[in-house]
Amino acid sequence: MTAQKHVKETNRDENCTPCSQGQSTHAPQGLPPRSKIDVKHVILVLSGKGGVGKSTVSVNLASALSAHGRMVGLLDLDIHGPNIPKMLGIEDQRPAVLAKVLEPVHVTGKLAVMSMAFLLPDTSTPVVWRGPMKMAVIQQFLDEVNWGSLDYLVVDLPPGTGDEALTIAQLAPNLRGAVIVTTPQDVAVLDAVKAIKFIEKLEIPVIGIIENMSGMICPHCGDTIDLFGRGGGEKAAQELGVPYLGSIPLDPEMVKAGDEGRPYILRHANSPTWRAVDAVMENLVKIVES
Ligand SMILES: Nc1ncnc2c1ncn2[C@@H]1O[C@H](COP(=O)(O)OP(=O)(O)OP(=O)(O)O)[C@@H](O)[C@H]1O
Ligand SMILES: [Mg+2]
Ligand SMILES: [Zn+2]
């Protein structure tokens, strides 16, 4: 099964000059109707800068929510570098196709995953994506996947604010808003602030900021070391008047969990990092479900 097979051929935007010039921030023409996916809360996970831990946060938040009894879909929209399946150890699985509807990969009874990685023949082959193709794939990920009835759809996005964020914001129902992941360094926080201003302009609500890699848990004694500093995310949240969801330490076990394909949150219950992720999840739930 190839990506192309799943991309509906559409000539809709063929003559759209901004698309052919590769501009990504305009609203696509001929927008399809908002998806009828059955979901209570759609949460976008965004960042200004790459590599700050969006995918890690998405995987662990989704796992934590499902561990708390929510029905969760995890949608990997990092079309250029989809790595959620690897982090969950399901990269070799493929969604079944039943009556033209894709069955997401079920990690547990309460956590289902869909990713471009499942559809690409091999993820090391670069694919050139045009804006309208991305839109068609995202639409199919919402409408032609058998998600069932979800409490949450957690959407992992590529860094920055490109086509994917715009498209999902336009197509998804019940968009509660975006969670912004940053690291404590000034440059990362500055990029996060820029990203927040940008998404506010697009009228995507900001659920809150998460500071990831905030202090490091020493692998020897378990104490916290201030590697990149701490508190930049919280300060930015205060200045921007958006909620602060909490901080997650840099923990070598987190890297191991990602590499080994088992979410950290599922196997280190009650460690300081686990408590940090759990607190972030609880704060998010308070905001979203209140
Ligand atoms: N709290 C953490 N402690 C230790 N390592 C972490 C933590 N968060 C993320 N990492 C590691 O940092 C690397 C980058 O994380 P991740 O892929 O989640 O970032 P990203 O923001 O999704 O990146 P991209 O912008 O490329 O999509 C990974 O190797 C991951 O295991
Ligand atoms: Mg990522
Ligand atoms: Zn130590």
Side-chain angles (χ1 to χ4, degrees):
M1 181 184 317
T2 66
Q4 278 70 20
K5 268 195 194 155
H6 282 278
V7 177
K8 269 189 209 150
E9 282 310 323
T10 162
N11 296 321
R12 190 164 37 214
D13 280 1
E14 216 67 296
N15 301 317
C16 177
T17 314
C19 284
S20 53
Q21 290 175 347
Q23 290 182 8
S24 59
T25 49
H26 75 298
Q29 293 176 350
L31 207 62
R34 206 168 274 277
S35 166
K36 291 203 165 48
I37 180 174
D38 178 9
V39 56
K40 290 194 189 116
H41 314 290
V42 175
I43 313 285
L44 310 185
V45 180
L46 278 173
S47 72
K49 225 166 104 43
V52 296
K54 287 174 300 302
S55 301
T56 304
V57 165
S58 301
V59 161
N60 284 289
L61 256 187
S63 303
L65 284 165
S66 65
H68 278 69
R70 309 298 193 281
M71 291 297 288
V72 183
L74 177 55
L75 179 56
D76 178 7
L77 283 194
D78 195 340
I79 288 168
H80 299 276
N83 51 15
I84 293 275
K86 170 127 196 351
M87 288 180 171
L88 285 166
I90 51 173
E91 71 268 37
D92 295 330
Q93 299 204 31
R94 289 292 173 267
V97 187
L98 300 166
K100 289 198 183 160
V101 173
L102 287 167
E103 192 62 27
V105 173
H106 295 275
V107 178
T108 66
K110 291 190 176 296
L111 179 59
V113 180
M114 195 60 216
S115 166
M116 205 56 215
F118 294 141
L119 307 182
L120 296 170
D122 103 63
T123 43
S124 58
T125 313
V127 179
V128 181
W129 290 93
R130 294 190 313 119
M133 279 169 74
K134 283 187 193 169
M135 189 167 75
V137 169
I138 293 170
Q139 190 193 1
Q140 283 182 308
F141 276 174
L142 293 173
D143 285 326
E144 290 167 38
V145 171
N146 182 24
W147 289 109
S149 184
L150 294 175
D151 295 307
Y152 283 84
L153 183 70
V154 176
V155 184
D156 180 33
L157 287 156
T161 34
D163 280 335
E164 293 84 350
L166 283 175
T167 304
I168 190 88
Q170 282 159 343
L171 296 184
N174 299 326
L175 177 68
R176 293 297 168 241
V179 161
I180 313 294
V181 182
T182 183
T183 51
Q185 299 99 314
D186 290 346
V187 278
V189 173
L190 261 168
D191 280 338
V193 168
K194 265 193 233 154
I196 287 175
K197 293 197 166 145
F198 186 72
I199 65 167
E200 281 181 336
K201 259 195 211 137
L202 299 172
E203 297 180 354
I204 300 176
V206 177
I207 298 171
I209 297 180
I210 299 172
E211 184 173 292
N212 186 32
M213 310 195 195
S214 175
M216 178 182 165
I217 303 285
C218 173
H220 306 293
C221 63
D223 267 3
T224 307
I225 307 165
D226 270 348
L227 201 61
F228 302 135
R230 272 195 279 177
E234 184 164 18
K235 205 164 142 251
Q238 269 167 8
E239 281 166 14
L240 293 167
V242 300
Y244 183 63
L245 296 176
S247 52
I248 300 171
L250 187 106
D251 186 335
E253 289 296 326
M254 202 76 143
V255 185
K256 234 164 103 188
D259 287 347
E260 288 171 7
R262 276 211 59 202
Y264 175 90
I265 193 85
L266 294 186
R267 56 177 210 181
H268 291 279
N270 285 318
S271 66
T273 307
W274 181 92
R275 283 199 292 275
V277 176
D278 200 65
V280 166
M281 187 270 305
E282 299 272 7
N283 286 336
L284 176 118
V285 165
K286 261 185 234 151
I287 292 172
V288 167
E289 297 185 13
S290 65

